[in-house]
Amino acid sequence: GNSVTQMEGPVTLSEEAFLTINCTYTATGYPSLFWYVQYPGEGLQLLLKATKADDKGSNKGFEATYRKETTSFHLEKGSVQVSDSAVYFCAPDFGNEKLTFGTGTRLTIIP
Amino acid sequence: DTGVSQDPRHKITKRGQNVTFRCDPISEHNRLYWYRQTLGQGPEFLTYFQNEAQLEKSRLLSDRFSAERPKGSFSTLEIQRTEQGDSAMYLCASSFPGGGSDTGELFFGEGSRLTVL
């Protein structure tokens, strides 16, 4: 069946550190892949997406590459800021007209 | 503000009471989703509408839950005879998918938090 596994949190980093949040999926087909972010006190919002293999999604300094071989879509940022503190969700679209969300990874950046 | 709005933002109720949540999607969006999120978990799909038609309901949605979108605009989610296990954040999202099975970008409201005592 279809499923998504996301790196457990919480993750605490110092400002300017490198960030990786792992996301892998199991699918019978080739899903579109999304990362959503939830900032404190706000609703979920789309961070980036990739719709086919080898696509790279990017936004706000974050990147994720659709890796068909490893069924992964890891989120990366080279230098995190305090304002990046939020909860991040990996969310594949398995072609069943809805998104399936991972459990979320809470990120805290310390100045 | 032309985003997705939900009302009320927070509802505290006693077990056994009925509650209703309302969602106003972005006006040109024809799809509307309801998700439920509990502490430390990701949103779980409950149901979705294409215009006024309810196209899918999750097995999570017991008979005590009912959702409507009567004119293809706003939607309501009613929970009858609430139980403590219903305590969660109820999220509404809307989208305008590109076609086929593409979900498109979901635009979320800030959620309605339910606390059942």
Side-chain angles (χ1 to χ4, degrees):
Chain A
N2 300 322
S3 66
V4 55
T5 302
Q6 188 176 338
M7 181 170 124
E8 298 259 342
V11 174
T12 302
L13 295 172
S14 297
E15 206 165 18
E16 299 182 2
F18 183 85
L19 168 71
T20 300
I21 300 177
N22 290 339
C23 172
T24 58
Y25 64 90
T26 302
T28 53
Y30 300 102
S32 295
L33 300 170
F34 298 79
W35 277 98
Y36 277 75
V37 59
Q38 189 169 33
Y39 297 104
E42 298 184 17
L44 281 156
Q45 57 187 272
L46 177 66
L47 180 59
L48 53 83
K49 68 179 183 181
T51 58
K52 61 184 187 296
D54 300 325
D55 269 2
K56 178 184 284 187
S58 61
N59 186 26
K60 299 182 179 182
F62 290 88
E63 292 182 341
T65 300
Y66 191 140
R67 302 286 188 198
K68 185 176 69 173
E69 303 79 13
T70 54
T71 63
S72 64
F73 193 53
H74 304 323
L75 183 68
E76 297 182 334
K77 186 173 185 181
S79 176
V80 292
Q81 305 301 313
V82 171
S83 57
D84 295 327
S85 297
V87 184
Y88 293 82
F89 295 91
C90 183
D93 175 358
F94 292 117
N96 52 2
E97 300 182 336
K98 58 185 173 287
L99 297 186
T100 300
F101 286 84
T103 54
T105 303
R106 181 174 297 276
L107 174 67
T108 302
I109 307 301
I110 299 171
Chain B
D1 184 74
T2 56
V4 177
S5 63
Q6 293 187 243
D7 184 71
R9 294 291 308 281
H10 196 179
K11 178 73 175 178
I12 301 173
T13 191
K14 293 183 179 179
R15 188 178 54 183
Q17 297 296 302
N18 299 343
V19 297
T20 299
F21 300 113
R22 176 180 169 124
C23 172
D24 288 273
I26 294 172
S27 58
E28 61 267 28
H29 286 182
N30 56 358
R31 281 220 185 141
L32 186 147
Y33 293 79
W34 286 100
Y35 281 80
R36 180 170 66 188
Q37 186 177 18
T38 53
L39 197 62
Q41 299 297 314
E44 296 174 302
F45 169 79
L46 294 180
T47 188
Y48 87 97
F49 294 83
Q50 175 98 1
N51 300 312
E52 66 275 10
Q54 187 173 19
L55 296 187
E56 186 177 345
K57 292 170 59 174
S58 165
R59 287 171 294 176
L60 293 175
L61 217 60
S62 77
D63 292 344
R64 297 183 297 104
F65 288 71
S66 62
E68 294 182 343
R69 193 182 184 199
K71 296 183 179 179
S73 56
F74 73 92
S75 175
T76 58
L77 177 68
E78 181 182 18
I79 309 173
Q80 296 182 324
R81 305 181 303 282
T82 52
E83 302 173 357
Q84 288 184 326
D86 297 331
S87 296
M89 179 75 85
Y90 290 85
L91 301 174
C92 177
S94 68
S95 74
F96 189 82
S101 60
D102 180 15
T103 299
E105 178 181 350
L106 296 188
F107 291 80
F108 281 85
E110 294 185 17
S112 293
R113 181 173 296 283
L114 174 64
T115 302
V116 182
L117 302 177

